[in-house]
């Protein structure tokens, strides 16, 4: 529920789109040889891949010089923001469902998630 609240009310990059992508990924994952941790990271990436999306392109954000464009040095502004919002949310005690994993597992999930969202 907390992740859903990070999605803004815009015509495409909204929580319904995230659910749609997550459902499609679930079907695809059944046909792969990914490890459980890679599957978890992939599902989490699908859920959060457009979190906080303002409904404008990276180029637009760079052109107007918005705060996130400055923060992320004009590189994959929206995608970096989606990842940052996700990990800020996961820092909350009531949201950190990864806390029971080992440090190595959490590092793998972070690496895969960021790689997927930025790709």
């Amino acid at each position: 529920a907390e992740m859903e609240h990070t999605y803004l009310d815009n015509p495409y990059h909204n929580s319904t789109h995230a659910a749609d992508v997550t459902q499609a990924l679930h079907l695809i994952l059944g046909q792969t040889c990914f490890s459980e941790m890679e599957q978890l990271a992939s599902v989490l990436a699908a859920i959060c891949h457009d979190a906080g999306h303002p409904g404008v392109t990276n180029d637009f954000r760079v052109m107007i010089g918005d705060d996130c464009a400055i923060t992320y040095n004009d590189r994959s502004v929206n995608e970096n923001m989606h990842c940052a919002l996700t990990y800020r949310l996961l820092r909350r005690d009531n949201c950190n469902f990864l806390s029971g994993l080992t440090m190595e597992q959490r590092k793998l999930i972070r690496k895969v998630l960021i790689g997927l969202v930025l790709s």
Side-chain angles (χ1 to χ4, degrees):
E2 294 295 324
M3 178 56 72
E4 185 175 9
H5 294 299
T6 69
Y7 278 85
L8 304 178
D9 185 23
N10 65 59
Y12 183 74
H13 300 284
N14 53 47
S15 61
T16 302
H17 168 67
D20 198 31
V21 170
T22 303
Q23 171 61 26
L25 176 71
H26 178 262
L27 296 173
I28 293 167
L29 285 175
Q31 303 170 24
T32 68
C33 298
F34 293 159
S35 72
E36 288 180 352
M37 289 298 116
E38 291 168 328
Q39 289 183 41
L40 176 59
S42 298
V43 170
L44 184 55
I47 292 167
C48 75
H49 81 279
D50 275 337
H53 200 296
V56 296
T57 66
N58 288 328
D59 287 341
F60 179 80
R61 296 183 84 175
V62 169
M63 183 181 66
I64 66 168
D66 83 0
D67 287 340
C68 282
I70 293 166
T71 298
Y72 301 117
N73 299 310
D74 300 343
R75 294 198 173 138
S76 303
V77 177
N78 285 326
E79 294 76 13
N80 276 300
M81 179 197 63
H82 306 320
C83 293
L85 283 172
T86 299
Y87 275 91
R88 285 187 188 110
L89 187 63
L90 285 171
R91 283 194 313 202
R92 296 183 194 169
D93 289 336
N94 63 330
C95 295
N96 190 0
F97 70 95
L98 302 176
S99 64
L101 301 178
T102 68
M103 179 61 77
E104 288 302 311
Q105 289 171 322
R106 288 193 308 269
K107 284 170 59 176
L108 174 66
I109 288 173
R110 182 171 167 82
K111 179 181 177 181
V112 171
L113 181 145
I114 291 170
L116 289 171
V117 174
L118 290 179
S119 64

